[in-house]
Amino acid sequence: QVQLAESGGGLVQAGASLRLSCAASGAIFSINVMNWYRQAPGKQRELVATFTKGGSTRYADSVTGRFTISRENAKNTVYLQMNSLKPEDTAVYYCNGDFVVAGTYKYLEVWGQGTLVTVSS
C-alpha cells in the first residue's frame, strides 16, 4: 500500500558528506512522521533523526550538528544530509515512516530496504 525507497548510500572517506533520500509512494493520505534509523554490524538499530508532521526535527546525540533531516512535501521525500562523516557512522541506514493510508484512513508503519553507508578512515 505504501512503499519507501532509499538511495544515496556509498563508500566515502572520513570527513566527507553524503545525502540519503527516501521517497514514499503508494496510497498515502498523510504522513505523520518520518525517521532515519541505522544499524551497524553487531549493534542494535538506533534512531538517528526524526522529522515530525509539524516540521520539528530531533537528532541522536552522536549526529547532532553533523546530520540534517529535511522533507520535500511535494515529492513525499525525506532527506538525510550527512556531513563530517566518521568511521563510526558506518551502518545500513533505514528510512521509516508512519502513514495514514488513503481510502482506509488506517495508520501504517513502513520501513525501507536500507542503504549501506561505509566511511573509511
Side-chain angles (χ1 to χ4, degrees):
Q1 291 176 315
V2 178
Q3 300 81 36
L4 295 175
E6 300 120 329
S7 60
L11 171 63
V12 297
Q13 290 189 329
S17 298
L18 275 177
R19 189 177 81 156
L20 306 182
S21 300
C22 173
S25 61
I28 300 170
F29 177 76
S30 65
I31 302 175
N32 290 334
V33 63
M34 295 290 289
N35 304 297
W36 283 100
Y37 285 79
R38 67 185 180 186
Q39 187 166 20
K43 295 188 177 181
Q44 290 187 331
R45 191 172 296 189
E46 64 170 341
L47 178 61
V48 175
T50 295
F51 195 102
T52 70
K53 186 176 183 179
S56 61
T57 58
R58 296 190 293 268
Y59 300 93
D61 290 343
S62 58
V63 306
T64 296
R66 299 188 298 122
F67 290 12
T68 302
I69 188 170
S70 60
R71 180 171 149 181
E72 189 171 356
N73 291 332
K75 294 184 178 181
N76 285 336
T77 298
V78 66
Y79 304 96
L80 186 67
Q81 177 67 42
M82 306 185 294
N83 298 329
S84 302
L85 283 162
K86 305 175 181 180
E88 50 263 44
D89 295 318
T90 295
V92 177
Y93 284 72
Y94 297 91
C95 181
N96 163 270
D98 289 337
F99 300 87
V100 176
V101 179
T104 65
Y105 304 104
K106 292 184 178 179
Y107 288 94
L108 180 68
E109 181 183 21
V110 182
W111 289 88
Q113 80 286 355
T115 185
L116 178 62
V117 172
T118 304
V119 184
S120 63
S121 57

